[in-house]
Amino acid sequence: INIMKNLILLAFILSACAINAQHFKLSDAYDITNERIIGQEEEDTWQVDVVITDNPENPIASLAISDFGLLDEIRISVLSNPGLEGIKEILKVTVEYNTCCSSTEDSYYLATDDNDFIALPSIKNEYAYEPISDIHYIFPNQSFGKEETILRAALQYTETYTIKDIQVLRSIAWNDDDFDYEDAITVINQ
């Protein structure tokens, strides 16, 4: 009977964790504005600003769109209460290109309780056919998250798009102020 009680308790705890795990949700609280050409017009490189919808005069960030003609879409999503001290939400801006292969570039901005924004290094993913693997940041309140830690991980998928394997590429202890503003990391699927 004690074993049965322990199994029921374990199942309850695991289901509570799964219910509490959050995902990024599309948001209209932020917007893209001020599309403009940078450099030579024939280069087809544009720049856009990420702004708070109610305060478009003060951009959060500027993003370069390397080949505007191949741009498929820009999505803005938010992760509320990410489980990091002093961070109220995380803004994720996904720039998706569509050519012979699909590619995305994800930019992440941590919105502080003081209404400042902290940028993480962007992540680029390229897909030849079907996404077999890609790289993401995983935050404490998400599945596979770790308390007060930001994980950058490569996720491997099965043919039915369920997660088969996770390889942690980097673990960033929150509030250590060492983000190494390195170049974007790219994963290429063959």
Side-chain angles (χ1 to χ4, degrees), residues 49-182:
D49 292 332
V50 180
V51 299
I52 299 172
T53 303
D54 295 339
N55 187 8
E57 300 81 31
N58 299 314
I60 297 167
S62 293
L63 300 175
I65 308 298
S66 58
D67 197 339
F68 197 75
L70 298 177
L71 177 67
D72 189 27
E73 72 173 317
I74 300 175
R75 289 185 306 276
I76 300 175
S77 52
V78 171
L79 178 68
S80 299
N81 304 313
L84 296 169
E85 183 181 337
I87 301 298
K88 61 183 174 186
E89 63 186 9
I90 299 171
L91 171 65
K92 177 180 172 185
V93 180
T94 301
V95 178
E96 187 171 331
Y97 298 95
N98 204 354
T99 59
C100 64
C101 307
S102 176
S103 66
T104 61
E105 183 170 354
D106 293 319
S107 299
Y108 293 81
Y109 304 95
L110 286 62
T112 69
D113 291 338
D114 298 328
N115 296 319
D116 290 326
F117 290 87
I118 301 167
L120 294 176
S122 64
I123 297 176
K124 295 179 183 178
N125 287 292
E126 296 179 4
Y127 309 102
Y129 297 101
E130 296 294 325
I132 298 167
S133 68
D134 52 16
I135 296 175
H136 296 278
Y137 284 110
I138 300 174
F139 300 96
N141 72 343
Q142 294 182 297
S143 296
F144 311 107
K146 186 176 172 187
E147 184 178 345
E148 289 297 323
T149 304
I150 301 169
L151 301 175
R152 186 167 53 209
L155 282 64
Q156 302 284 327
Y157 300 98
T158 66
E159 294 78 27
T160 59
Y161 303 107
T162 57
I163 296 174
K164 175 171 69 173
D165 186 37
I166 294 178
Q167 177 187 5
V168 174
L169 303 173
R170 184 162 183 213
S171 177
I172 304 168
W174 180 236
N175 284 332
D176 75 352
D177 294 332
D178 182 22
F179 291 120
D180 288 348
Y181 291 101
E182 64 209 37

